[in-house]
Amino acid sequence: MIETHYLVIGSGIAGLTFSVKIAEKFPDRKVVIVTKASEDESNTKYAQGGVAVVLNKEKDSFKKHIKDTLIAGDGLCDEEVVKMVVEEGPDRLEELLIWGANFDVNATGEFDLGKEGGHSEYRVVHHKDITGYEIEHALLKRVHQLKNISILPHHFAIDLVTNHHIKEIKSDKISCFGAYIFNQKTGNIFTIKANATLLASGGIGCVYGHTTNPVIATGDGIAMAYRAKAAIKDMEFVQFHPTALYEAKGESSFLISEAVRGFGAYLRNKTGHRFMLDYDERAELASRDIVSQSIDNELKKSGDSHVYLDCTHLDMSAFKHHFPNIYNKCLEHHINIETDWIPVVPASHYLCGGIVVDKNGETTIANLFACGECTRTGLHGANRLASNSLLEALVYAHNIYKFHSAHHYKAANVIIPDWNDEGTTIAKEHILIQHNLKQLQALMRDYVGIVRSNKRLKRAINHLDLIYNEVEDLYKESKITTSLCELRNMINVAHLIIKQSLERTENKGGYFNIDNV
Ligand code: FAD
Ligand code: SIN
């Protein structure tokens, strides 16, 4: 068993920012970060567009950014949270600069601000089209300089330790005492006992087969919190990014940043028609929910598998300067952006809901905090404004840090039992996990996509029940593997998405059910 002041689950922007801040301030407090893949693998690493921050006060203002966020969220944002996050943006960006992250500047030395869907002004700070990679590596560099942080890559958090595991606790109030951790290299399972635990475990994209997210995005933190009985909300608001690169074979997930549309690219159907003008006066720069729903409608009308992003009219040398990664990735796929339209299709991208937290990142479970994409803060409402996610993670990591600066959590006087896997054996039929995963992803794609109906959702929940029972049986009899735990977590997350979709009777933002029209 390891004992620590802070257990942080996840090494994306949320987990690393909190860790750096608290470790810098309290050199005598120990932080342990567990992360299930290599230390930089995360959604953060793939962020392209950038961080939305109001910097150009002549043209832009907090008021405008707040208004854009509220419009995108379609009436369901918490206005106070929006104000707080937007107004803290410049200070949080300053800290990233201190930690060594670089952002592009223009000829006059000012930040080169980009624009994305739903933004009324240029306000997205970026590092080429690899902003997330730049931030992730700046944070990791700082983490390695701090002696009181240990980072454990290839360590998978299986479940939170709560009252449920500790017989002598009689209280009804659920508290968290750390987590059971699986060392993916050795196969050992051990306990990390923590005074406070932070879930910073990211998104859920992989619940849908076709996603912009890397394979780590399996909703583990949300599932763990749900099993521990934390409040989870707004799960129906899955955000589909309008422009993932379409590939005839496989389920490509490479993103063509919304910043490319901010740079002037057009969406066209196969006849060449610039169809977004038919749907919204902001055309390609309407908010993401509207663009994805419009593409979905075009595809249903035509029976086509994809639409196109046309960049051929743009200044190519400026394009290559801004988007070198996208340009080269397209070339690898034999698409020359100078002459060819890019085939694109919507893909699951971001979850607006998640673990309910207050402004201090406190969940409904004592000693358990959450930050980043796994949370529901109230910032995004029914649809997240582009580039508000990295900002949200920075602001909430700071708030949680401030909270812990004012409240010193002591070690709980409890004895945590070891992980018990008596009676389990090594699963012989690993292929069954793969089959169940494919079934799960197919049902989410077919029945719980951009446009839903009550009939499809009910069918989805029935099919999911079968998969759930099969996987629970397998889980009870098998030794832990990462893929089995991830599948179990994705089933929990899918259940929450479907159930909360069925509960929603009004279409808002990213949620569209034909029976609510
Ligand atoms: P992540 O960065 O996903 O980190 C989660 C961490 O938790 C990972 O290290 C993971 O390995 C670990 N983890 C998960 N489960 C476990 C477990 N069971 N045990 C141990 N470790 C675990 N947002 C913007 O604001 N601007 C953008 O330009 C932008 N572009 C994007 C482009 C792409 C392609 C994608 C996928 C997302 C983009 N987003 C963008 C969204 C944004 O990147 C994410 O919402 C944000 O990075 C999430 O940060 P996080 O720290 O919460 O989670
Ligand atoms: C993008 O670059 O299009 C992604 C931005 C985001 O998800 O906020």
Side-chain angles (χ1 to χ4, degrees), residues 21 40 87 197 356 363 368 393 415 432 437 483 514:
K21 295 193 75 124
D40 71 342
E87 291 182 356
T197 299
V356 175
T363 70
L368 180 65
I415 296 168
L432 294 179
L437 175 61
S483 51
I514 52 171

Side-chain angles (χ1 to χ4, degrees), residues 48-49 116 241 255 257-259 288 349 384 386-387:
Q48 293 184 357
E116 292 176 51
H241 196 292
L255 182 74
S257 174
E258 203 152 291
R288 212 168 263 183
H349 180 64
R384 174 178 65 99
S387 288

Side-chain angles (χ1 to χ4, degrees), residues 9-16 34-52 116 124 131-132 136 155-158 181 200-203 211-214 216-221 224 241 253-255 257 288 349-350 371-374 384-393 486 489:
I9 300 174
S11 57
I13 188 170
L16 295 181
V34 294
T35 191
K36 68 176 174 179
S38 56
E39 60 181 17
D40 71 342
E41 193 56 4
S42 57
N43 275 5
T44 301
K45 181 180 163 185
Y46 299 94
Q48 293 184 357
V51 191
E116 292 176 51
V124 181
T131 309
E136 179 73 21
H155 280 69
F156 183 95
I158 307 171
I181 308 295
S201 47
T211 176
T212 63
N213 294 187
I216 51 96
T218 55
D220 300 341
M224 280 188 264
H241 196 292
S253 57
F254 183 72
L255 182 74
S257 174
R288 212 168 263 183
H349 180 64
Y350 183 85
C371 188
E373 190 167 343
C374 65
R384 174 178 65 99
L385 183 67
S387 288
N388 264 357
S389 171
L390 297 172
L391 175 67
E392 179 191 51
E486 287 179 335
N489 291 336

